[in-house]
Amino acid sequence: MSERRFTEDHEWIDLDGEIGTVGITDFAQEQLGEVVFVEVPDVGKTVAKGDETAVVESVKAASELYAPVTGEVVEANAALADTPDLVNSDPEGAAWFYKIKISDKAEFDALMDADAYKAHAEA
Protein backbone atom coordinates (compact mmCIF):
# COMPACT_ATOMS: atom_id res chain seq x y z
CA MET A 1 0.00 0.00 0.00
CA SER A 2 1.36 3.40 -0.95
CA GLU A 3 1.39 6.56 1.12
CA ARG A 4 1.01 10.04 -0.42
CA ARG A 5 2.71 13.26 0.69
CA PHE A 6 2.84 16.78 -0.75
CA THR A 7 5.34 19.64 -1.14
CA GLU A 8 4.76 23.38 -0.73
CA ASP A 9 5.42 23.65 -4.49
CA HIS A 10 2.31 21.52 -5.21
CA GLU A 11 4.00 18.25 -6.11
CA TRP A 12 2.75 14.93 -4.81
CA ILE A 13 4.74 11.77 -4.16
CA ASP A 14 3.38 8.28 -3.53
CA LEU A 15 5.78 6.01 -1.70
CA ASP A 16 5.59 2.26 -2.30
CA GLY A 17 8.49 0.49 -0.62
CA GLU A 18 11.55 2.53 -1.55
CA ILE A 19 10.12 3.87 -4.84
CA GLY A 20 8.30 7.21 -4.97
CA THR A 21 6.04 8.25 -7.86
CA VAL A 22 6.02 12.03 -8.43
CA GLY A 23 3.53 14.36 -10.11
CA ILE A 24 1.78 17.71 -9.70
CA THR A 25 -1.44 18.26 -7.82
CA ASP A 26 -4.84 19.07 -9.24
CA PHE A 27 -4.47 22.53 -7.68
CA ALA A 28 -1.22 23.08 -9.62
CA GLN A 29 -2.67 22.01 -12.98
CA GLU A 30 -5.64 24.32 -12.44
CA GLN A 31 -3.24 27.22 -11.84
CA LEU A 32 -1.24 26.36 -14.98
CA GLY A 33 -4.17 26.07 -17.35
CA GLU A 34 -3.92 24.03 -20.55
CA VAL A 35 -0.64 22.07 -20.48
CA VAL A 36 1.05 21.91 -23.90
CA PHE A 37 4.51 20.44 -23.14
CA VAL A 38 6.13 18.31 -20.45
CA GLU A 39 9.82 17.43 -20.08
CA VAL A 40 10.63 14.61 -17.67
CA PRO A 41 14.06 13.67 -16.25
CA ASP A 42 16.31 10.98 -17.72
CA VAL A 43 16.29 7.56 -16.10
CA GLY A 44 19.42 7.06 -14.03
CA LYS A 45 19.73 10.73 -13.08
CA THR A 46 20.54 11.30 -9.41
CA VAL A 47 18.77 14.29 -7.86
CA ALA A 48 18.89 16.02 -4.49
CA LYS A 49 15.81 17.27 -2.71
CA GLY A 50 14.89 20.65 -4.24
CA ASP A 51 16.67 20.06 -7.57
CA GLU A 52 14.80 20.96 -10.74
CA THR A 53 13.65 17.68 -12.29
CA ALA A 54 11.03 18.46 -14.92
CA VAL A 55 9.42 21.30 -16.86
CA VAL A 56 5.73 21.91 -17.51
CA GLU A 57 4.65 24.46 -20.11
CA SER A 58 1.10 25.68 -20.42
CA VAL A 59 -0.62 28.34 -22.45
CA LYS A 60 -0.09 30.63 -19.44
CA ALA A 61 3.48 29.94 -18.30
CA ALA A 62 6.35 27.48 -17.88
CA SER A 63 7.00 25.96 -14.46
CA GLU A 64 9.65 23.73 -13.00
CA LEU A 65 9.06 20.61 -10.95
CA TYR A 66 11.41 20.14 -7.99
CA ALA A 67 12.51 16.85 -6.47
CA PRO A 68 10.53 16.26 -3.26
CA VAL A 69 13.22 13.84 -2.04
CA THR A 70 16.79 12.83 -2.82
CA GLY A 71 17.31 9.75 -4.96
CA GLU A 72 17.76 8.20 -8.40
CA VAL A 73 15.20 8.46 -11.19
CA VAL A 74 14.28 4.88 -12.09
CA GLU A 75 11.42 5.48 -14.55
CA ALA A 76 10.02 8.43 -16.51
CA ASN A 77 6.49 8.72 -17.90
CA ALA A 78 7.14 8.75 -21.64
CA ALA A 79 3.41 9.11 -22.36
CA LEU A 80 3.56 12.77 -21.30
CA ALA A 81 5.72 13.68 -24.32
CA ASP A 82 2.92 12.71 -26.73
CA THR A 83 -0.03 13.57 -24.51
CA PRO A 84 0.89 16.46 -22.19
CA ASP A 85 -2.83 17.17 -21.70
CA LEU A 86 -2.92 14.10 -19.43
CA VAL A 87 -1.65 16.54 -16.78
CA ASN A 88 -4.97 18.39 -17.02
CA SER A 89 -7.21 15.34 -17.22
CA ASP A 90 -5.58 13.07 -14.62
CA PRO A 91 -2.89 15.03 -12.71
CA GLU A 92 -2.81 12.78 -9.68
CA GLY A 93 -3.03 9.49 -11.60
CA ALA A 94 -1.93 8.66 -15.17
CA ALA A 95 0.02 11.92 -15.47
CA TRP A 96 2.75 10.98 -12.99
CA PHE A 97 6.11 12.44 -14.11
CA TYR A 98 8.75 10.04 -12.82
CA LYS A 99 9.57 7.38 -10.27
CA ILE A 100 12.46 7.83 -7.88
CA LYS A 101 14.33 5.40 -5.63
CA ILE A 102 14.55 7.46 -2.47
CA SER A 103 17.74 7.51 -0.47
CA ASP A 104 16.41 9.05 2.77
CA LYS A 105 12.90 8.18 3.93
CA ALA A 106 13.10 10.94 6.54
CA GLU A 107 12.78 13.47 3.68
CA PHE A 108 9.51 11.80 2.64
CA ASP A 109 8.25 11.70 6.22
CA ALA A 110 8.87 15.45 6.57
CA LEU A 111 6.53 16.33 3.66
CA MET A 112 2.90 17.40 4.23
CA ASP A 113 0.09 14.88 4.57
CA ALA A 114 -3.21 15.44 2.72
CA ASP A 115 -4.79 17.56 5.46
CA ALA A 116 -1.75 19.81 5.82
CA TYR A 117 -1.50 20.22 2.03
CA LYS A 118 -5.19 21.10 1.75
CA ALA A 119 -4.73 23.83 4.36
CA HIS A 120 -1.60 25.05 2.52
CA ALA A 121 -3.36 25.19 -0.87
CA GLU A 122 -6.32 27.08 0.58
CA ALA A 123 -4.14 29.65 2.36
Side-chain angles (χ1 to χ4, degrees), residues 72-119:
E72 179 185 348
V73 175
V74 294
E75 187 176 349
N77 189 351
L80 293 179
D82 295 330
T83 53
D85 58 325
L86 265 178
V87 175
N88 294 116
S89 61
D90 194 9
E92 298 190 26
W96 57 274
F97 281 56
Y98 60 92
K99 296 185 179 192
I100 186 168
K101 182 177 179 182
I102 69 167
S103 60
D104 183 359
K105 187 171 183 301
E107 289 180 346
F108 176 83
D109 293 338
L111 297 171
M112 292 183 279
D113 64 15
D115 290 340
Y117 175 72
K118 184 178 177 187

Side-chain angles (χ1 to χ4, degrees), residues 1-8 11-23 48-50 67-71 98 100-114 116-117:
M1 181 172 179
S2 67
E3 182 180 357
R4 179 169 287 193
R5 295 292 173 101
F6 300 87
T7 71
E8 292 183 357
E11 291 116 0
W12 56 265
I13 178 169
D14 280 344
L15 185 62
D16 189 1
E18 60 183 6
I19 304 298
T21 303
V22 178
K49 180 180 177 172
V69 294
T70 300
Y98 60 92
I100 186 168
K101 182 177 179 182
I102 69 167
S103 60
D104 183 359
K105 187 171 183 301
E107 289 180 346
F108 176 83
D109 293 338
L111 297 171
M112 292 183 279
D113 64 15
Y117 175 72

